[in-house]
Amino acid sequence: MNKNKKFLLLTVLAVFSLVLAACGFGGDSSEKSKDGGKDSGSSETASSGGELNVVVASEPPSLHPALATDTTSGVILTNTFEGLTTLDADARPVAAAAESWEVSEDLKTYTFKIRDAKWSNGDPVVAGDFEYAWKWALNPDNLSEYASILYSIKGAAAYNNGEGSADDVGVKAEDDKTLVVTLENPTPYFLELTAFKTYAPLNQKVVEGNDEWYADAGENYVTNGPFTLAEWRHNDAVVLKKNPEYWDADKVSLETVNIGMVESEATAATSFKAGEIDYLGAPFQSVALDSIDGFKADGSLNINDQASVYWYKLNTKDKITGNANIRKALALSIDRQGLIDNITKGEQKPALGMVPIAVHGFEEDRGYYKDNDIEGAKAALEAGMKELGITNPADIKINLSYNTSEAHAAIAQYVQEGWAKNLGITVGLDNSEWQVYLEKLNQLDYQVGRMGWVGDYNDAYTFLEMYDTAANGNNDTGWESAEYKKLLDQSNTEADPAKRLELLKQAEKVAVSDFPVIPIYYYTNLSVVHDNVKNMKADILGNISLKEVVVEEK
């Protein structure tokens, strides 16, 4: 998800299981070969008739694939729309709307063959639906905050920035079955990108002339994925139904997915224990803090690594948090391991960098700073106060903002107490409902604000790209660095994987040294699921394909 408030992950709901969203999502793009990808379905026909009950924490902000930026919207879109590829259990791309593809020797041209498939209204899914959707997202008039995730395509950035035209974008439907995509540079994770929601097709006949097609369930909400949007009772529930027109419908077991909206993690946990819902965990509502010990004790809690990070963003345009030394003092004075041991309890890892250790090449501690470095924090605070002309730490007043959630509140209170104790500053807490909160961050109407980020794809770039410029839709800090952007740009043209990895690490070091964000911890996905529900497990990016889920009779 680029304003993946993820996102992507995200994106929203979880302290441990959810993040914005988005985005939050490399493939084998070697040589000129047909898709090594296998079809995403299993070889056996699934039994049908199952009903799954789950909850999310809030109303999805948008169910338009090109406008959604958060995890809550993403979990619905991932299962109602289908891109050229989808991700398997290991978050690797496999064939979906495209049945095969070829890659040119220079790794810059992809030729996709579109399989025989239909939209939920019976229209054929054609290559032009992808060309139309991608150019719609890139059209600057449409204000897609995730448009930059398409920038690996030739001419995409120029068009989105008002410096080029749609005709110059390197995506072309040669006929109904052939989509040719030309990239600016070799992009090792491009096939993973084509599974992301912004790359989903749109039914041009339905969308054109109907600006509200995605605002409600009904005949205008036409999908090409395994499920349709049967009902959308705003601020109450979403109901998905099996899509009979889906090309692989025989492999879909579930007939109905009921997605309630329950803001309270504690209430959701009570519903799970009562058997009213079937699953808690990413990418749906999170496991309540107060329930973790109990689920651990009875052996039902599942803990899996996730390529996502919980961090605090900082408004670098604010008088106080605009000071780099103040930001450094805040970052160094957090006891991350204490937070994990006493509050989150999910075996998370202290985040000492922006890229999670679940991402290839970033597994080790990069040594940018130490956890709970109080002496270093006090030195940075003293330097910052001198620069700001402040003599008493108590005169530094900071608001710590978060979206409404028992878990986010508990984390904020822990950090608030640590900052007050270790630095002597005054810290207030401010919580808002999710959509209001997103707008606050977008408008820089905050000082310090929590956000989670789930990788849109399994590559470090998805965690670094959002800060390439202050104008990036997912930045929300006002921070930018010419050196940082240069390193990211160089990584996009570097064909040697080892050299590219080193450039990404150099970029991370530049950002971490200036602290536009304060990484707190790397997520694990905590989940519980009833025994009669099979194949309900999030991948490393926090996604669950409901296509694979089976609910057996109790």
Side-chain angles (χ1 to χ4, degrees):
M1 262 70 194
N2 254 36
K3 189 154 239 135
N4 357 12
K5 304 290 193 184
K6 290 190 348 302
F7 280 50
L8 323 128
L9 67 329
L10 53 262
T11 91
V12 160
L13 309 175
V15 170
F16 332 104
S17 343
L18 288 173
V19 227
L20 298 181
C23 329
F25 131 43
D28 179 13
S29 57
S30 60
E31 55 201 328
K32 186 179 180 181
S33 60
K34 288 240 184 205
D35 161 30
K38 308 175 181 82
D39 284 355
S40 57
S42 63
S43 59
E44 297 180 3
T45 300
S47 59
S48 61
E51 182 167 321
L52 181 74
N53 298 302
V54 292
V55 294
V56 293
S58 67
E59 168 84 353
S62 176
L63 292 184
H64 190 307
L67 297 178
T69 63
D70 64 293
T71 305
T72 306
S73 304
V75 67
I76 297 169
L77 291 167
T78 296
N79 288 287
T80 51
F81 286 82
E82 186 172 78
L84 297 168
T85 64
T86 190
L87 301 180
D88 66 13
D90 297 318
R92 298 293 184 182
V94 294
E99 63 182 2
S100 64
W101 50 83
E102 294 183 353
V103 186
S104 63
E105 290 185 6
D106 65 1
L107 306 181
K108 292 171 61 174
T109 301
Y110 288 68
T111 302
F112 295 92
K113 290 299 180 184
I114 308 301
R115 72 170 70 249
D116 291 332
K118 293 182 179 179
W119 290 94
S120 55
N121 67 353
D123 291 344
V125 177
V126 296
D129 293 328
F130 289 90
E131 179 180 356
Y132 172 75
W134 298 3
K135 289 181 177 179
W136 191 98
L138 289 168
N139 186 333
D141 294 338
N142 292 328
L143 303 177
S144 172
E145 295 178 351
Y146 242 127
S148 64
I149 203 169
L150 294 154
Y151 281 6
S152 58
I153 301 170
K154 186 176 182 179
Y159 176 43
N160 187 236
N161 292 323
E163 300 167 355
S165 71
D167 292 339
D168 296 328
V169 177
V171 53
K172 175 69 174 177
E174 292 195 340
D175 54 51
D176 284 351
K177 294 294 183 183
T178 309
L179 184 73
V180 178
V181 184
T182 304
L183 306 183
E184 292 280 7
N185 302 287
T187 304
Y189 50 86
F190 182 68
L191 290 176
E192 280 92 331
L193 289 177
T194 62
F196 191 69
K197 57 182 176 283
T198 316
Y199 282 77
L202 294 174
N203 186 311
Q204 185 172 355
K205 292 194 299 184
V206 171
V207 173
E208 283 194 335
N210 184 1
D211 292 341
E212 299 298 316
W213 69 270
Y214 60 94
D216 283 292
E219 63 179 11
N220 291 323
Y221 201 89
V222 178
T223 68
N224 74 317
F227 296 92
T228 63
L229 184 67
E231 294 182 58
W232 186 359
R233 301 192 299 274
H234 292 278
N235 297 300
D236 179 23
V238 166
V239 178
L240 307 183
K241 290 286 188 180
K242 180 177 178 178
N243 180 5
E245 298 290 350
Y246 178 57
W247 67 271
D248 208 18
D250 288 347
K251 308 287 176 53
V252 180
S253 170
L254 295 173
E255 287 290 343
T256 304
V257 181
N258 299 306
I259 306 175
M261 299 174 196
V262 177
E263 184 176 77
S264 167
E265 292 101 331
T267 301
T270 299
S271 295
F272 177 83
K273 294 170 187 176
E276 296 167 351
I277 60 176
D278 299 306
Y279 173 90
L280 279 178
F284 299 95
Q285 179 58 290
S286 60
V287 178
L289 291 177
D290 292 344
S291 299
I292 292 174
D293 288 339
F295 287 135
K296 279 184 177 180
D298 66 22
S300 62
L301 186 68
N302 304 303
I303 302 178
N304 302 102
D305 288 335
Q306 191 171 343
S308 53
V309 59
Y310 193 101
W311 53 26
Y312 283 156
K313 295 194 174 197
L314 297 107
N315 178 0
T316 64
K317 300 303 181 183
D318 178 79
K319 178 181 178 181
I320 301 298
T321 54
N323 182 277
N325 274 309
I326 298 295
R327 298 197 298 269
K328 182 177 181 180
L330 297 175
L332 297 186
S333 59
I334 296 174
D335 182 0
R336 294 162 178 78
Q337 191 61 58
L339 173 70
I340 293 165
D341 292 342
N342 297 292
I343 305 297
T344 65
K345 301 181 181 180
E347 300 181 18
Q348 297 89 355
K349 304 295 188 301
L352 302 176
M354 295 168 67
V355 180
I357 55 178
V359 174
H360 176 67
F362 284 77
E363 296 88 351
E364 79 289 353
D365 175 11
R366 275 83 76 191
Y368 301 135
Y369 57 91
K370 295 189 298 182
D371 182 30
N372 198 27
D373 179 7
I374 304 305
E375 292 307 311
K378 289 180 176 178
L381 177 67
E382 184 177 348
M385 291 172 56
K386 185 176 181 180
E387 290 165 352
L388 292 171
I390 297 173
T391 57
N392 186 349
D395 291 337
I396 296 178
K397 296 179 172 60
I398 289 177
N399 269 341
L400 175 53
S401 302
Y402 54 92
N403 56 294
T404 303
S405 153
E406 293 102 324
H408 300 324
I411 292 172
Q413 289 161 11
Y414 182 91
V415 173
Q416 175 194 41
E417 292 171 4
W419 282 347
K421 174 185 175 182
N422 297 324
L423 301 178
I425 64 176
T426 303
V427 183
L429 299 182
D430 168 51
N431 77 283
S432 306
E433 180 272 330
W434 179 236
Q435 296 187 53
V436 173
Y437 179 71
L438 292 182
E439 187 61 22
K440 280 187 175 183
L441 264 64
N442 181 251
Q443 297 298 323
L444 296 184
D445 182 21
Y446 78 104
Q447 288 179 294
V448 182
R450 64 75 43 189
M451 187 56 66
W453 191 263
V454 180
D456 296 329
Y457 43 93
N458 193 7
D459 188 89
Y461 192 75
T462 187
F463 295 93
L464 303 174
E465 176 269 341
M466 73 190 85
Y467 301 107
D468 61 350
T469 67
N472 188 304
N474 290 304
N475 187 316
D476 291 337
T477 68
W479 180 87
E480 61 184 5
S481 160
E483 181 184 6
Y484 181 81
K485 187 175 190 308
K486 179 181 178 181
L487 288 165
L488 287 185
D489 290 345
Q490 288 175 341
S491 78
N492 284 331
T493 59
E494 179 54 66
D496 184 302
K499 292 180 180 179
R500 176 178 179 271
L501 187 63
E502 185 56 34
L503 288 167
L504 292 171
K505 289 182 178 180
Q506 290 176 29
E508 182 188 39
K509 184 176 182 179
V510 169
V512 168
S513 298
D514 211 23
F515 292 102
V517 296
I518 299 173
I520 308 295
Y521 61 77
Y522 303 127
Y523 278 80
T524 52
N525 176 28
L526 306 186
S527 65
V528 287
V529 60
H530 289 303
D531 291 341
N532 65 313
V533 179
K534 309 301 181 184
N535 304 330
M536 189 83 176
K537 180 182 177 182
D539 64 25
I540 198 171
L541 299 178
N543 302 314
I544 290 180
S545 171
L546 297 177
K547 172 182 176 178
E548 312 296 336
V549 174
V550 175
V551 177
E552 299 175 345
E553 291 187 11
K554 295 182 180 179

